Amino acid sequence: MARQAGRRAARARDFMALMDRLRIIEDEAAEEALLEELKRVERPLILSFVNAHAVNLGWEQPGMLDGLLRSDVLLRDGIGVKLGLRAFHRRYGLNMNGTDFIPRIARAYAGRSVALFGTRSPWLDNARRALEEWGLKVVACHEGFDPPETYLRLAAESKPDLILMAMGMPKQEEISVKLREALSHPVLIVNGGAVLDYIGGKVPRAPLVMRQTGMEWLFRLAVEPRRLFRRYVVGIPVYFTHVAEVRLSSLRK
């Protein structure tokens, strides 16, 4: 009983540590300032996104949580984390989802080099062509199913200015930390989940009104029900159970 209570307390602390690390972007001016900052990194730097699925994985897998907490910049992604922050009377700012923000980063890197690690062909090849059309020089391009050493070698050889990781959680977060430790040149390492699938045309975007109202997850579930059933239909209630548990534990103190 005491051990179980200790585990719950540790998870509550981890949850709040993750919320504390979020960089809240209040308005479009702050978003533009962040974009300018990310264009001018002076060392290997990791950008990651926190959504409800990431919280659920971190709750069960310490390695996932460690990868997120070791990121240099953490941004809020999705309505679930917004509601979680509101439950603790915290600022939540703009929805900085990677599907929208990462292409903005990529376009801001026009004229510079990029490595693409993740997804598989033909979507990876499509994404490569799209990024080249945006003005980037693709210096490394590899599917996302190899061991970490493959990506460490490719990044060390090509020395890209930007690395887009699209391997899914928690693999991309774990490898991004290894990349930061191994590389010495300035590089922005972005953990992007399915972003190369979007850029490569595998997955369509939701209608604008669904994106603006935080309902893109429902569109994604309709498009990929088998893959995303557990993440959304099961995962969303689990996430709010975690929020409620942490909220209750904070009220008991």
Side-chain angles (χ1 to χ4, degrees), residues 18-250:
L18 194 57
M19 297 300 105
D20 289 340
R21 283 290 317 282
L22 286 175
R23 180 162 170 177
I24 303 302
I25 306 301
E26 298 284 6
D27 51 33
E28 291 182 2
E31 185 176 354
E32 289 297 330
L34 173 62
L35 190 59
E36 288 299 313
E37 177 186 329
L38 296 175
K39 285 165 57 178
R40 294 173 172 80
V41 299
E42 298 178 351
R43 59 180 177 82
L45 185 142
I46 301 171
L47 169 64
S48 298
F49 298 83
V50 178
N51 55 27
H53 180 56
V55 172
N56 285 347
L57 287 176
W59 195 273
E60 300 298 335
Q61 301 180 33
M64 172 66 190
L65 182 66
D66 181 63
L68 286 172
L69 289 174
R70 293 178 70 183
S71 298
D72 298 287
V73 179
L74 282 175
L75 298 178
R76 173 181 78 81
D77 180 351
I79 193 170
V81 177
K82 172 183 175 179
L83 296 175
L85 289 166
R86 288 184 63 181
F88 293 92
H89 307 290
R90 295 187 175 214
R91 298 178 298 114
Y92 49 82
L94 299 179
N95 178 19
M96 298 296 295
N97 71 86
T99 313
D100 288 323
F101 193 55
I102 294 172
R104 290 193 62 197
I105 295 172
R107 291 178 185 276
Y109 270 72
R112 301 168 71 183
S113 60
V114 63
L116 310 180
F117 297 148
T119 193
R120 64 170 79 245
S121 296
W123 320 116
L124 181 58
D125 298 327
N126 293 346
R128 175 177 189 153
R129 285 191 289 270
L131 287 159
E132 289 173 341
E133 289 174 0
W134 295 354
L136 289 92
K137 179 183 178 182
V138 179
V139 293
C141 188
H142 200 84
E143 293 187 356
F145 306 97
D146 279 18
E149 292 73 21
T150 298
Y151 310 103
L152 296 177
R153 175 180 56 79
L154 289 169
E157 291 173 353
S158 60
K159 293 183 171 55
D161 299 307
L162 174 67
I163 300 177
L164 298 184
M165 307 284 287
M167 303 169 183
M169 302 174 179
K171 182 177 181 179
Q172 63 188 16
E173 284 76 17
E174 295 171 356
I175 295 179
S176 69
V177 173
K178 294 179 185 293
L179 284 166
R180 183 179 60 190
E181 293 172 347
L183 300 175
S184 58
H185 72 282
V187 54
L188 177 62
I189 305 164
V190 181
N191 288 316
V195 69
L196 294 182
D197 286 334
Y198 282 107
I199 295 173
K202 179 182 180 182
V203 182
R205 292 301 306 274
L208 182 60
V209 66
M210 296 187 77
R211 285 182 262 162
Q212 292 175 334
T213 55
M215 299 302 291
E216 186 164 14
W217 67 269
L218 191 58
F219 178 85
R220 291 188 64 193
L221 178 62
V223 172
E224 300 181 277
R226 181 175 298 181
R227 186 175 77 86
L228 297 178
F229 179 87
R230 183 172 180 81
R231 177 180 299 189
Y232 293 133
V233 177
V234 178
I236 289 175
V238 168
Y239 167 76
F240 284 111
T241 299
H242 296 329
V243 172
E245 184 174 337
V246 176
R247 175 82 172 136
L248 286 172
S249 68
S250 67

